[in-house]
Amino acid sequence: MKTTSPTATLDAYKSWLDKHQTQFNNVELSPYTEHGGGIRVLATKKIAAHTVPETLFVSLKNLQCDAIELLIDEKFASSQVLQLAIAAERARGASSNWSPYFATLPPAEDLPLIWPESDLATLVGTGVEEAARARRSRLVTAYTGMIACLKSHGHGSSDLACVRVDAFLSAATLTSSRAFYIDATHGYALVPGADAFNHKCALPSSGSDGGPSSGEEEEEEGSEEEGEEEEED
């Protein structure tokens, strides 16, 4: 299978950002090859304001389709619907409007949520192991419910219904690490370029499975959650 070098991937990504009139001032984007790879940001001067068009937000609004509307109407948590939609959009490959952006992301972020048993065993006694297992269980339950809902309402052949559980969980790690709240219209979203900056996602009062969080915080289903140095993502 043909592979693309990190430099070529970054060049395609920069061209895509430029095409959509995204402005990043006083920073340089460069490839980051450790921990699954990605993009890192290096400030060249005091960081100035940046502009990312709303059309580039990977949000439920911009991903809107009948299958998404159904899941929202059926009261599935928007964070979980977003993860399923992101997984489906990534699976489209080069045909996705966000293909150059997705190409810069790792397959998944290295969170205990997706660790194998041998790695989770190293966390026994810390509390993180139990939280990771509980969160994974809730997310798998939500995934199963959403897929069943889509199939029972005539959307069994939709892109969302074809998402595998491992792809859904990988998308959950991406939103946990990268997504943040935009506004009432877009809600939580991935924001190309902006998510390469280190940022703190506000901790929710109760939380919601798979939404933005710092690590493996305890979360409840159905509720909404909410540098000048070299920075990595």
Side-chain angles (χ1 to χ4, degrees), residues 69-83:
E69 289 184 5
L70 169 66
L71 294 176
I72 294 298
D73 289 344
E74 292 296 315
K75 308 303 181 184
F76 287 97
S78 61
S79 60
Q80 297 161 352
V81 179
L82 177 62
Q83 288 142 19

Side-chain angles (χ1 to χ4, degrees), residues 67-223:
I68 288 176
E69 289 184 5
L70 169 66
L71 294 176
I72 294 298
D73 289 344
E74 292 296 315
K75 308 303 181 184
F76 287 97
S78 61
S79 60
Q80 297 161 352
V81 179
L82 177 62
Q83 288 142 19
L84 192 67
I86 288 173
E89 190 65 26
R90 292 189 82 181
R92 294 182 62 199
S95 65
S96 169
N97 291 334
W98 289 273
S99 176
Y101 166 59
F102 289 144
T104 69
L105 302 181
E109 299 291 354
D110 187 20
L111 297 183
L113 166 66
I114 59 170
W115 285 7
E117 283 296 322
S118 58
D119 290 343
L120 274 179
T122 65
L123 299 177
V124 171
T126 66
V128 176
E129 178 245 358
E130 291 183 6
R133 290 183 188 279
R135 183 179 174 205
R136 179 186 176 93
S137 176
R138 290 195 299 270
L139 283 170
V140 170
T141 297
Y143 164 83
T144 302
M146 288 190 289
I147 299 301
C149 177
L150 291 169
K151 291 181 177 179
S152 66
H153 287 79
H155 291 280
S157 60
S158 66
D159 290 344
L160 270 69
C162 294
V163 171
R164 296 174 50 173
V165 67
D166 57 337
F168 171 71
L169 293 175
S170 294
T173 68
L174 293 177
T175 59
S176 289
S177 173
R178 295 169 175 272
F180 46 88
Y181 184 79
I182 305 299
D183 55 28
T185 299
H186 289 277
Y188 283 91
L190 299 179
V191 182
D195 68 352
F197 291 83
N198 289 339
H199 59 277
K200 178 180 182 297
C201 298
L203 292 177
S205 56
S206 296
S208 103
D209 281 316
S213 63
S214 58
E216 299 290 339
E217 287 85 7
E218 189 67 19
E219 302 162 342
E220 297 177 5
E221 182 177 331
S223 60

